[in-house]
Amino acid sequence: MPETEPWEYTLYIPNDLRAVTVARRTLRLILTMHGLIRLVDTAELLAAELVSNAVRHTKGPAALRVRWAAGVLRIGAWDADPGPPEPPGEFGLSEGVEEGRGLALVKACADLWGWQPLARHGNRGKFVWCELAAA
């Protein structure tokens, strides 16, 4: 049974494509340890897309943030680029294409998604997030 108490983890990652695998495996471990194994496969896919976008389309560091509260898992990726992400296209139209389907996949698999610009302690960037309900 998943915990009822809220929790949050942040994993800071370098601008390196290997960080996507590190983020996926870390997320799998976090969710397994918190009894949320049924969310692992979808959450891993979503986190991989968000982190991949952060690493591929920016030049600075990034971070994966995972939060559980009130039966909702929020997965987000921060990157140093304050510009908005490319809007997701139609998921079926990108079939067979290696790139450009990340946010379409997030939109299709998550219950909710969005982004917000960030400016904190002199750092700029954006936070792209999605949510999965446990029910």
Side-chain angles (χ1 to χ4, degrees):
M1 194 75 182
E3 295 178 16
T4 57
E5 293 295 315
W7 48 261
E8 183 174 313
Y9 293 86
T10 302
L11 175 65
Y12 294 95
I13 53 178
N15 190 283
D16 183 333
L17 283 176
R18 293 173 290 193
V20 177
T21 301
V22 172
R24 285 180 74 137
R25 290 183 179 166
T26 301
L27 178 62
R28 176 173 285 276
L29 180 60
I30 290 168
L31 295 179
T32 300
M33 297 305 294
H34 283 284
L36 296 168
I37 193 72
R38 70 186 177 284
L39 297 178
V40 166
D41 291 336
T42 304
E44 252 190 319
L45 175 68
L46 296 171
E49 293 299 334
L50 295 176
V51 171
S52 178
N53 283 348
V55 172
R56 286 177 189 241
H57 301 296
T58 66
K59 301 218 182 297
L64 172 70
R65 182 182 298 158
V66 183
R67 182 181 69 182
W68 172 261
V72 175
L73 180 68
R74 178 176 272 206
I75 303 164
W78 168 83
D79 65 55
D81 181 2
E86 289 291 322
E90 292 298 317
F91 184 66
L93 297 178
S94 58
E95 202 171 302
V97 176
E98 284 294 316
E99 293 185 10
R101 62 183 168 84
L103 285 181
L105 195 58
V106 170
K107 180 180 172 186
C109 295
D111 295 318
L112 190 62
W113 82 276
W115 79 279
Q116 60 197 60
L118 296 177
R120 180 186 287 174
H121 310 296
N123 295 326
R124 296 181 46 159
K126 69 177 163 296
F127 185 67
V128 182
W129 55 269
C130 62
E131 293 182 347
L132 290 173

